[in-house]
Amino acid sequence: MKYIRHMKKSCLLLAFFITGLASAGINDGLLFYASFDKTVEPEVALGARTVKAGDVRTVPGKTGGAALLDGSSGLVYTVPGNIEMDRGTAALWARADTDMASDGYNFSLIRAQHLALNKIGRKLFFMTGNNVEGVGFKWDYGLMNQEFLKFKPGEWHHYCIVWDKLNGYRSLYVDGRLFRRHDSAHFPAGISGSAALEVGTGFRGAVDEFHVFSRPLDAAEIEKMYIDPAGTARQVDRSAAETEIEPIGFNIPVLPPQQTIVNPGEPFQAKIELLNRSGRPQTRKFTFTLRDAYLNDCGSIRKEITLEPRGTCQFTWPVIPPKRGSFKVEAAWDGKLRDVTAFAAWDKRQEPDPESFFGNHVNAWSNGAFLEQADRLGQNWQRNHNMLQTTWWTRVEPHEGERTHDNDFQLRAVRKFNMPVLGQLFTTPYWGASERKERGKGGYYTCWNPDLAKFDRYVRHTVNRYRNEIRHWEIWNEPGVSMFFGGTPEQFGMLVRTAVRAVRETDPDAIVMAAGFTAPAAAWQLRAAKAGAFRGLDAISFHCYQNTVTPIEHFYDSLRQTVDRFQELAVAYGDGKKLPVWDSEGGIGATTFFRGLDMPFLPPESKRDKDNSLEAAKQCVKGEAVRLALGIVRHFYYLQNPPNRSGYGMYSNTSALDINNAPRPHLMSRVAMQEQLDYTDFAALVRQEESRFWAVVFKHRFRPECRVMLWTGENGNLKVTPRNLPECRSTADLFGNPLPLPGKSIIVTDLPQYLTVAESDPGKVADAFRQARIDVTVPPQQLKKEANEDGEAPPLPPQTDFSAPLENPAAVFQVDLRRFCNMDFADDAANDGKGGWTDEGDLNDLRDFKPGRRNFFGVPFDVIEPGKNNGKAVITLAGKQDSPLPRAVRSIPVNRPASILYFLHAASWAQAAKDIARYELRYSDGASETAGVTTGGNCANWWGGTVDPLHTRIVPVRVTNTMTGKPAWRYLYLYEYRLTKHRGRELRSIDFISETAGSTPVLVGITGM
């Protein structure tokens, strides 16, 4: 008996030991877990916990409750933090309520962008995909299973996918057993922060016990999940969900713009606000550190702080920045880190150059507070655009005969700081359009083609009113973009000629330019030039944006081609001479300067874009040097306005200010550059390709000296020994701080620096660097060859035919849209509510799409020939509330039984994951159902986009009438909708309804069966 009791005790201990191991194992690397017992919200989520779900009910599951799905959108979670693309495991239980063997029943059990477990036809694919050089995007369908076809409705089955990019394999397990391992090189390179983690999209049945791990589970672990689902569920450590929420938070106060800048060496009053999110007292030891843009330690304090439950604590730490630049206060505790405030240090040492290259778009709305901040930084030139709207027609005369000049207060605020202004002759009030619009409509996007007589009067009045304050005028803004000009290139040519004549006769000394062109729209600009858009001008203005990724050499080459093209147009179609070129709008995308932001709508920091605030500071001034070297007269940086404090755009954007109104590092590097280069003129560019060495030489207008800007490629370190370089008087770093004077040699890195050389002849300075000895200490990052344009074939994944029409062609029918069509495939004029396609003009339509009898992926369509239907071929609905296009087309007759509908459609200005339209299906017995149109799901932008391959196919269309003048690919989307609630009943009619969500929906055809 003693021996038996000993054995029982040993077995009990062994059982506890095994249970402990299993518990540790199931929680090892667990990123996401949803039991669906009571809710579809996850119980463990290392990323965001939000979920988008339709009408989902809780029903008895494999263990506890399960989520019952109706075959529509399924469950949509947020990706960042909840799944990893390099390696991992995802598993769930599923119970189908319909026959899995049905050929036309397609669904996605698990999907995260380009990693998916999809049923397509009679096959279950564990598919991954990526971009392949020379081919484009490619799905790998190599791992396929058909055993599931024998599964019966109502049965529970366990599905598990495992992937390992490093070791190049993926595996599929069904009911705890390895079906097959597949070696593959086609794994997603990454995943978009806005992508979705989807469960059960298109699936009709129940799902239960959804797990996602950051590691590949082994066969024994997967088998145990299958054998003991209830035990596995019990072992999940749900406390991870509780401990994930850090109880200590910080509020980042928004500061008055003027208070975000102090002089170097003077205190900034850093207001630090802590809060306790928990219901228990919290005591922590904090270290608060002042850091510069390079993250150098500039001083710290330590504090032990106790916070009452749900309590707050505020204190002020006077920090002293030792030099110029961007600074922030970091809070560190228990291995965690947050930046809690930011500011800039700057002492204005000279008045800005009245002819400065450095222009801006500073917020002129907030009682001049942001203008005062800009003046404190030494900025001056402003462009009248959305931040300053004084001269817009809709502001000058919103109603005919009522010249209210609503935004004169902005110009008064600007003139208070003696800032020169580039006036803008832009926007069209409703009463000034060539085809009169509805009363009261006005604003940024009211840019209809104007009545030229009325436009002429507006120009004359506006130029005359402000002639003592504004000496430079820009005619329009981005006219090749349909939202900014609702006419043809030829009509725009007439608009420019009208404006030029009016300005010249009103103020002969004014400088006139056109038209804030977008750089790529070459074909549009050629036609506008032929119509007179470059005649009588003093300058050309265009827009050029920059990023932190494109090497500066490639940016230089691209910008040079753009400038050369504009000069060719000016010579050929203007007044026979080259013109000065202005870049009237451009910026650079950058992340916030704040690390550790813990707003609930942001993904975990590890899943966000990498902090590039310092890289943006470097690239910004390199881009400005390139513009100067190419002869660009002035560049207006867009924009100087704080970002919204919600959405991912708060984290990464083009604003020069941060979420608390403080200048970001790229603004401070640009301010320092302006101080160095104001009152100078570009003189010479010296480049050494192998070492990626750049020296840009400027001559001072009033002093016998030159300024030289130096840098090399990313991560490089050079020892540069100029030959016979005259005396170097001073040097300055990226933020305008003095550097030690160099000896015979200069250390050059990817951080731009400035030299002041005691020599009035820039040729001698340039020669000293041309003949310099360059020793490469650390090689810079080598340039990759730019990809050539290849218009031979669109980069599409493999796509299979829809099987149902092939199997039963006799059941196929066409829905006649002819009398409901309102647009042609071709459009002659933008934004007039008539013509064709998406109403964006004759360089942005689908006129090359061939009408007649067509077949796409096994589905026949009678594409309407506009010549046989009064010039109408498609149904185009309004994308916005103020569009002249219809909101809906109703009662398209069908009058026959239907089980499947195929919609051939597309959208313009489409944003990802938005509901843009819907098809309301109305039955003869009074019932109805809705088929939604969602971008990124069953529709996308006709210029290109991703869709769900389960139900949607991409139809490429090659077009030749493009803005660039080069052939390009455009796309239609073929969506298969299987009627779920009323399958086989007589379908009386279909309503096509826009959600007016910003995207313009277009319907080309409907086929049914």
Side-chain angles (χ1 to χ4, degrees):
M1 289 295 294
K2 183 177 180 182
Y3 174 75
I4 293 173
R5 286 196 301 271
H6 176 74
M7 287 296 293
K8 286 182 177 179
K9 185 176 180 181
S10 299
C11 290
L12 187 61
L13 288 171
L14 181 60
F16 275 119
F17 177 68
I18 292 172
T19 301
L21 278 178
S23 176
I26 202 66
N27 292 295
D28 182 14
L30 183 64
L31 299 174
F32 187 94
Y33 170 66
S35 71
F36 306 126
D37 285 346
K38 296 179 181 179
T39 175
V40 294
E41 292 183 2
E43 289 161 75
V44 175
L46 297 195
R49 308 175 68 83
T50 55
V51 58
K52 179 181 177 182
D55 184 17
V56 178
R57 292 189 294 120
T58 299
V59 296
K62 183 65 180 178
T63 173
L68 182 64
L69 308 178
D70 64 2
S72 57
S73 58
L75 307 171
V76 181
Y77 300 95
T78 303
V79 157
N82 292 329
I83 190 168
E84 295 182 359
M85 291 293 100
D86 286 346
R87 59 203 306 263
T89 302
L92 54 65
W93 286 89
R95 185 203 72 204
D97 289 345
T98 55
D99 184 6
M100 295 278 277
S102 173
D103 192 32
Y105 175 34
N106 298 329
F107 56 80
S108 177
L109 274 181
I110 303 169
R111 184 174 183 190
Q113 204 166 18
H114 298 142
L115 182 149
L117 181 62
N118 288 348
K119 177 185 179 289
I120 304 176
R122 295 172 62 84
K123 299 175 182 178
L124 183 69
F125 293 95
F126 175 21
M127 26 194 297
T128 54
N130 66 348
N131 284 303
V132 179
E133 188 173 352
V135 176
F137 185 85
K138 180 178 175 61
W139 281 106
D140 184 344
Y141 294 90
L143 184 45
M144 179 271 293
N145 174 288
Q146 286 186 296
E147 291 187 4
F148 74 97
L149 295 174
K150 63 187 179 184
F151 296 164
K152 296 177 182 178
E155 293 180 349
W156 282 100
H157 294 277
H158 190 255
Y159 301 86
C160 180
I161 55 176
V162 178
W163 62 97
D164 190 331
K165 180 178 178 180
L166 179 64
N167 294 304
Y169 76 88
R170 60 182 192 269
S171 301
L172 172 61
Y173 290 78
V174 180
D175 288 340
R177 181 174 62 87
L178 175 63
F179 169 71
R180 190 156 65 89
R181 168 174 162 151
H182 174 69
D183 293 332
S184 176
H186 298 296
F187 285 89
I191 191 163
S192 165
S194 60
L197 173 59
E198 303 172 44
V199 178
T201 301
F203 183 70
R204 293 192 291 275
V207 292
D208 198 5
E209 294 297 311
F210 179 47
H211 297 76
V212 182
F213 300 85
S214 62
R215 63 184 179 90
L217 268 61
D218 61 34
E221 292 174 303
I222 295 168
E223 184 180 25
K224 186 183 186 308
M225 294 176 75
Y226 168 67
I227 292 172
D228 187 13
T232 302
R234 287 193 300 271
Q235 290 159 7
V236 171
D237 182 8
R238 290 158 174 81
S239 66
E242 300 171 9
T243 58
E244 169 203 3
I245 302 174
E246 166 60 42
I248 304 298
F250 288 87
N251 179 43
I252 299 174
V254 177
L255 305 175
Q258 313 93 313
Q259 295 180 18
T260 62
I261 307 167
V262 297
N263 287 327
E266 294 183 357
F268 170 78
Q269 303 298 325
K271 297 178 181 178
I272 300 171
E273 300 182 12
L274 299 87
L275 55 112
N276 179 3
R277 300 188 180 110
S278 75
R280 298 189 298 272
Q282 302 288 338
T283 299
R284 297 289 190 277
K285 293 181 179 179
F286 293 90
T287 300
F288 296 95
T289 305
L290 177 64
R291 296 200 182 274
D292 63 15
Y294 309 103
L295 299 183
N296 292 320
D297 185 336
C298 300
S300 62
I301 60 169
R302 291 178 173 80
K303 291 178 76 75
E304 183 174 297
I305 297 174
T306 297
L307 292 162
E308 296 302 317
R310 312 294 178 191
T312 62
C313 171
Q314 301 180 11
F315 71 94
T316 299
W317 178 28
V319 296
I320 299 178
K323 55 186 178 181
R324 294 165 143 193
S326 293
F327 293 86
K328 57 189 173 185
V329 173
E330 166 196 290
W333 75 103
D334 298 344
K336 301 176 180 65
L337 182 148
R338 300 281 188 276
D339 292 325
V340 297
T341 193
F343 66 99
W346 187 256
D347 50 336
K348 182 177 170 182
R349 297 175 184 174
Q350 65 182 23
E351 289 303 312
D353 183 356
E355 298 302 323
S356 179
F357 162 86
F358 299 88
N360 312 281
H361 290 81
V362 176
N363 180 325
W365 295 88
S366 305
N367 296 318
F370 291 97
L371 293 168
E372 184 177 343
Q373 180 190 49
D375 179 68
R376 174 79 172 76
L377 293 171
Q379 298 173 277
N380 55 348
W381 271 88
Q382 304 296 330
R383 177 182 180 230
N384 189 110
H385 194 51
N386 59 332
M387 293 291 100
L388 167 63
Q389 299 178 10
T390 299
T391 65
W392 282 7
W393 194 359
T394 50
R395 300 301 187 185
V396 170
E397 194 174 0
H399 306 291
E400 190 167 14
E402 299 178 18
R403 289 176 174 162
T404 55
H405 306 99
D406 295 340
N407 285 53
D408 273 7
F409 71 93
Q410 292 185 304
L411 186 59
R412 288 194 295 270
V414 169
R415 296 306 298 159
K416 176 182 176 183
F417 299 102
N418 297 314
M419 295 176 173
V421 171
L422 172 61
Q424 190 180 58
L425 302 168
F426 181 48
T427 71
T428 308
Y430 70 95
W431 59 268
S434 58
E435 295 184 7
R436 194 177 180 95
K437 305 298 178 181
E438 182 183 338
R439 177 180 171 84
K441 290 184 176 178
Y444 193 24
Y445 299 122
T446 53
C447 306
W448 301 290
N449 181 45
D451 177 296
L452 292 181
K454 295 177 179 179
F455 181 64
D456 176 87
R457 290 194 290 272
Y458 150 68
V459 173
R460 292 174 187 274
H461 167 78
T462 304
V463 171
N464 183 62
R465 179 181 177 85
Y466 302 109
R467 65 186 300 164
N468 294 325
E469 299 169 287
I470 298 177
R471 309 302 306 136
H472 300 76
W473 291 98
E474 180 181 42
I475 303 168
W476 223 255
N477 173 75
E478 299 188 357
V481 179
S482 61
M483 72 167 66
F484 291 129
F485 182 64
T488 66
E490 290 73 22
Q491 289 171 325
F492 186 72
M494 292 298 297
L495 181 152
V496 172
R497 293 168 67 180
T498 300
V500 167
R501 182 176 60 253
V503 175
R504 292 276 181 248
E505 292 177 1
T506 306
D507 185 359
D509 297 326
I511 303 297
V512 187
M513 66 191 69
F517 292 111
T518 50
W524 198 98
Q525 292 152 13
L526 174 60
R527 285 175 50 186
K530 290 180 177 179
F534 285 72
R535 293 180 199 163
L537 298 177
D538 298 304
I540 303 165
S541 63
F542 79 108
H543 295 168
C544 178
Y545 280 79
Q546 195 182 353
N547 60 54
T548 59
V549 177
T550 301
I552 199 64
E553 289 85 352
H554 294 170
F555 179 71
Y556 175 87
D557 292 340
S558 173
L559 188 56
R560 180 179 59 185
Q561 292 171 13
T562 298
V563 171
D564 289 348
R565 178 166 54 79
F566 281 121
Q567 296 291 14
E568 290 168 4
L569 292 175
V571 171
Y573 303 103
D575 299 325
K577 61 182 181 181
K578 292 183 177 181
L579 293 173
V581 177
W582 292 38
D583 184 351
S584 61
E585 182 182 314
I588 190 167
T591 59
T592 176
F593 192 38
F594 285 83
R595 297 165 299 161
L597 291 176
D598 60 353
M599 281 69 171
F601 48 80
L602 291 177
E605 189 158 28
S606 62
K607 306 301 178 184
R608 302 173 196 169
D609 293 337
K610 184 180 178 183
D611 176 6
N612 65 7
S613 55
L614 180 58
E615 189 62 33
K618 295 185 286 185
Q619 288 293 97
C620 178
V621 294
K622 291 176 186 178
E624 300 294 48
V626 161
R627 290 179 174 90
L628 283 159
L630 291 172
I632 293 173
V633 175
R634 190 157 289 117
H635 173 220
F636 292 83
Y637 185 88
Y638 188 86
L639 80 165
Q640 208 156 317
N641 186 52
N644 291 327
R645 288 172 66 104
S646 63
Y648 193 74
M650 183 194 81
Y651 180 77
S652 182
N653 50 68
T654 61
S655 178
L657 302 180
D658 227 315
I659 58 174
N660 71 334
N661 290 335
R664 290 160 77 171
H666 64 278
L667 174 55
M668 296 310 299
S669 67
R670 191 172 187 264
V671 164
M673 185 181 191
Q674 179 173 356
E675 181 189 71
Q676 291 292 320
L677 300 185
D678 266 1
Y679 304 101
T680 71
D681 296 309
F682 168 76
L685 172 62
V686 178
R687 288 176 59 186
Q688 207 276 348
E689 290 190 12
E690 186 177 348
S691 64
R692 297 185 64 191
F693 170 69
W694 290 66
V696 193
V697 182
F698 301 86
K699 183 184 185 305
H700 204 284
R701 294 191 210 119
F702 312 117
R703 300 177 191 160
E705 63 185 32
C706 289
R707 300 277 164 85
V708 186
M709 187 175 175
L710 303 173
W711 75 81
T712 185
E714 294 79 9
N715 306 318
N717 186 294
L718 312 178
K719 181 181 178 183
V720 179
T721 308
R723 184 176 179 183
N724 300 322
L725 180 69
E727 176 195 357
C728 183
R729 289 178 175 168
S730 64
T731 59
D733 70 6
L734 180 64
F735 297 107
N737 296 298
L739 293 170
L741 288 174
K744 291 184 178 180
S745 298
I746 305 167
I747 302 301
V748 178
T749 69
D750 64 351
L751 287 167
Q753 59 181 296
Y754 305 92
L755 273 62
T756 299
V757 180
E759 174 57 63
S760 60
D761 182 358
K764 292 182 179 179
V765 177
D767 286 342
F769 284 101
R770 287 192 188 99
Q771 299 168 23
R773 174 180 170 177
I774 299 178
D775 297 308
V776 179
T777 307
V778 178
Q781 181 177 309
Q782 290 304 298
L783 292 176
K784 292 181 179 179
K785 228 177 183 181
E786 287 190 285
N788 294 323
E789 292 184 14
D790 180 9
E792 291 302 312
L796 296 178
Q799 301 181 97
T800 58
D801 286 352
F802 289 111
S803 57
L806 299 174
E807 293 178 353
N808 190 8
V812 174
F813 61 88
Q814 304 289 320
V815 176
D816 188 356
L817 304 179
R818 283 176 295 181
R819 67 186 177 93
F820 300 92
C821 293
N822 63 329
M823 299 291 265
D824 193 346
F825 286 114
D827 187 46
D828 294 326
N831 291 337
D832 62 354
K834 58 187 180 181
W837 197 234
T838 56
D839 198 22
E840 296 180 66
D842 59 352
L843 293 176
N844 204 26
D845 62 29
L846 210 66
R847 65 184 61 207
D848 289 335
F849 186 58
K850 181 182 175 182
R853 189 70 171 177
R854 305 290 301 273
N855 191 293
F856 305 110
F857 301 102
V859 184
F861 282 90
D862 285 327
V863 178
I864 297 169
E865 296 189 39
K868 297 180 180 180
N869 192 45
N870 297 315
K872 311 298 182 187
V874 300
I875 300 173
T876 304
L877 300 183
K880 297 184 293 184
Q881 293 284 353
D882 60 355
S883 170
L885 294 165
R887 285 277 310 278
V889 171
R890 300 183 186 275
S891 301
I892 301 170
V894 181
N895 295 320
R896 62 189 299 164
S899 58
I900 305 174
L901 293 173
Y902 295 93
F903 299 97
L904 186 61
H905 56 200
S908 70
W909 301 101
Q911 301 176 25
K914 260 199 170 184
D915 297 327
I916 64 168
R918 64 185 186 273
Y919 300 106
E920 293 285 356
L921 312 181
R922 306 197 180 280
Y923 297 88
S924 298
D925 61 3
S928 65
E929 66 178 284
T930 300
V933 181
T934 304
T935 54
N938 53 37
C939 191
N941 197 308
W942 72 287
W943 274 44
T946 58
V947 291
D948 179 357
L950 287 174
H951 305 291
T952 309
R953 305 290 186 267
I954 304 173
V955 179
V957 182
R958 192 173 189 270
V959 297
T960 55
N961 58 316
T962 65
M963 291 282 187
T964 64
K966 301 175 183 179
W969 288 99
R970 303 289 184 254
Y971 305 91
L972 300 175
Y973 303 92
L974 177 52
Y975 169 43
E976 180 189 62
Y977 179 76
R978 291 180 171 259
L979 283 66
T980 53
K981 299 177 182 177
H982 310 285
R983 184 181 181 90
R985 295 189 192 180
E986 182 173 280
L987 179 62
R988 187 184 72 224
S989 64
I990 300 173
D991 298 342
F992 181 32
I993 304 170
S994 172
E995 305 290 359
T996 58
S999 300
T1000 301
V1002 186
L1003 176 61
V1004 177
I1006 304 175
T1007 294
M1009 63 178 299

